[in-house]
Amino acid sequence: MDLSTTYLGLKLAHPFLPGASPLADELAVARRLEDAGAPALVMRSLVEEQIARERIDAYLHAHRHGESFAEAVSYFPSPERFTFGPEEYLDHVRRLKDSLSIPVIASVNGTRPGGWLDYPRLIEQEGADALELNLYQLALDPDVTGEEVEKEAVEVLREVKRTVKIPVAVKLSPFFSSFAHFSQRLDAAGADALVLFNRFYQPDIDVENLQVAETLHLSSSDELPLRLRWVAALSGRLRADLAVTGGVHTAMDAVKCLMAGAHAVQLVSALLRQGPDLMRVLRADLEHWMEEHRWDSVGEMRGNMNLQRCPDPAAYERANYMLMLQSWRS
Ligand SMILES: Cc1cc2nc3c(=O)[nH]c(=O)nc-3n(C[C@H](O)[C@H](O)[C@H](O)COP(=O)(O)O)c2cc1C
């Protein structure tokens, strides 16, 4: 039984990866993940604003502007809210590399070209095996068109690709108007993988206190179908690998992702809830299921349910939509 897969040029023993999160913040937890069989892991993101803030603070300090510029940075979360500052993040990449033998995928989050784009190169110098470029952004400005948002994202990717040699995955939200087209642009700009999809922070309203309620909801497998659809739509059409993040909790979830065309699946909520030993369980469950269903390898399963297999994917989608509308019986 061959569970191995290739993702971002890395040969992985199986497709389950701990995704970007606090899971790699502590060396002890990262080692437990490795001991439980994680074939690589993704670090939390270093955020564009953290880097900008550090530089602005240094400038203000050097030029004694004191409070006069304070407003300019007042909307950035204060540095204490972040687990790692930019320099600490680089140190942590090095520490993980020194203590683990599995590949370490670092992550940066930024949305527009700027000084933070020095960091991918610094991260590479600390030994990261690959980089996830997390393009988390909400396009709230009504004067900015979809084309402009996409163009900026592609520019950021091009710049990152220009500065590093390690593979670069792009982590995206589903909120682009023509996702298949945008994916192709990223593919052409050199994305080595697409990671689908970022889960947005979903604030609620506290109606008693008239406040925004900051809640962090972990996911469930209900979030998987959106990912399955897009992986199935893109599989076989891009040079880039595909990874699923969001809603992978069981080996069956992973089987669906692989059949849709994924090279790897990332887990965060499931590992936060159940701990690193879940890696062992998922691997064993996948092996067991494949044995029962007579699949010899993950490679053989990959993409056998992708949309390229039907002659007219758009018509197939429409047909299923119409059937679904008719399917409810009271
Ligand atoms: C506590 C927490 C911290 C996270 N931090 C990051 C991060 O720094 N960068 C990032 O790209 N995604 C981050 N994520 C998102 C996860 O990587 C993942 O995409 C998301 O949780 C969906 O996967 P899941 O259903 O397996 O949880 C975080 C998620 C959680 C729950």
Side-chain angles (χ1 to χ4, degrees), residues 20-22 44-45 134 171 199 216 218-219 245-247 267-269:
S21 69
R44 68 160 65 242
S45 306
N134 163 17
K171 185 170 180 178
R199 241 177 126 238
L216 176 74
L218 297 180
S219 74
T245 178
L267 300 111
V268 172
S269 294

Side-chain angles (χ1 to χ4, degrees), residues 11 70 73 83 127 143 147 158 216 254 277 279 290:
K11 176 94 174 151
V73 292
T83 306
D143 292 327
E147 167 58 22
R158 283 221 173 87
L216 176 74
D277 280 346
M279 297 297 306
M290 285 173 63

Side-chain angles (χ1 to χ4, degrees), residues 94-108:
R94 172 61 56 197
R95 270 199 304 273
L96 285 171
K97 281 301 297 172
D98 289 346
S99 354
L100 304 175
S101 50
I102 55 174
V104 172
I105 304 172
S107 168
V108 282

Side-chain angles (χ1 to χ4, degrees), residues 8-284:
L8 289 173
L10 306 166
K11 176 94 174 151
L12 308 178
H14 61 76
F16 298 101
L17 299 183
S21 69
L23 284 160
D25 287 357
E26 287 175 33
L27 290 183
V29 180
R31 278 200 211 101
R32 278 184 61 202
L33 286 163
E34 180 177 38
D35 291 346
L41 51 74
V42 188
M43 296 173 66
R44 68 160 65 242
S45 306
L46 174 63
V47 179
E48 172 184 354
E49 283 82 352
Q50 286 179 265
I51 299 162
R53 172 154 197 153
E54 200 171 85
R55 291 186 173 177
I56 290 170
D57 283 352
Y59 176 85
L60 295 181
H61 184 72
H63 295 80
R64 300 183 188 286
H65 280 292
E67 291 301 302
S68 60
F69 277 83
E71 247 175 70
V73 292
S74 62
Y75 55 88
F76 291 174
S78 64
E80 310 80 68
R81 295 291 299 267
F82 293 97
T83 306
F84 301 118
E87 296 312 309
E88 289 162 337
Y89 191 90
L90 297 177
D91 289 346
H92 197 60
V93 175
R94 172 61 56 197
R95 270 199 304 273
L96 285 171
K97 281 301 297 172
D98 289 346
S99 354
L100 304 175
S101 50
I102 55 174
V104 172
I105 304 172
S107 168
V108 282
N109 167 241
T111 54
R112 49 183 58 98
W116 65 277
L117 284 166
D118 295 341
Y119 272 77
R121 185 177 43 81
L122 299 174
I123 285 170
E124 179 179 46
Q125 282 169 5
E126 295 301 330
D129 297 275
L131 184 72
E132 208 171 83
L133 176 61
N134 163 17
L135 292 175
Y136 183 110
Q137 183 192 19
L138 267 191
L140 291 174
D141 183 344
D143 292 327
V144 175
T145 64
E147 167 58 22
E148 286 168 318
V149 173
E150 289 184 13
K151 191 164 165 268
E152 210 159 53
V154 171
E155 265 171 38
V156 167
L157 171 63
R158 283 221 173 87
E159 187 55 24
V160 172
K161 285 291 294 181
R162 202 181 60 72
T163 54
V164 298
K165 291 194 180 63
I166 52 176
V168 179
V170 184
K171 185 170 180 178
L172 298 162
S173 84
F175 306 118
F176 291 92
S177 61
S178 176
F179 192 78
H181 177 74
F182 181 47
S183 305
Q184 249 172 30
R185 287 179 76 178
L186 293 166
D187 195 46
D192 297 288
L194 302 185
V195 183
L196 311 181
F197 284 117
N198 224 327
R199 241 177 126 238
F200 276 107
Y201 150 66
Q202 292 162 11
D204 204 350
I205 295 179
D206 173 349
V207 294
E208 297 297 333
N209 299 306
L210 298 183
Q211 279 177 352
V212 173
E214 275 190 38
T215 42
L216 176 74
H217 296 291
L218 297 180
S219 74
S220 74
S221 299
D222 290 349
E223 299 190 21
L224 204 59
L226 175 72
R227 278 87 182 161
L228 294 179
R229 162 193 281 179
W230 281 107
V231 170
L234 299 177
S235 165
R237 298 175 71 169
L238 304 177
R239 194 192 47 81
D241 295 337
L242 295 167
V244 169
T245 178
V248 182
H249 288 255
T250 64
M252 274 318 299
D253 291 338
V255 167
K256 292 175 191 175
C257 295
L258 294 166
M259 288 192 174
H263 296 79
V265 295
Q266 299 186 357
L267 300 111
V268 172
S269 294
L271 284 169
L272 289 176
R273 279 203 193 98
Q274 299 182 57
D277 280 346
L278 178 66
M279 297 297 306
R280 280 187 234 280
V281 176
L282 292 173
R283 184 193 172 130

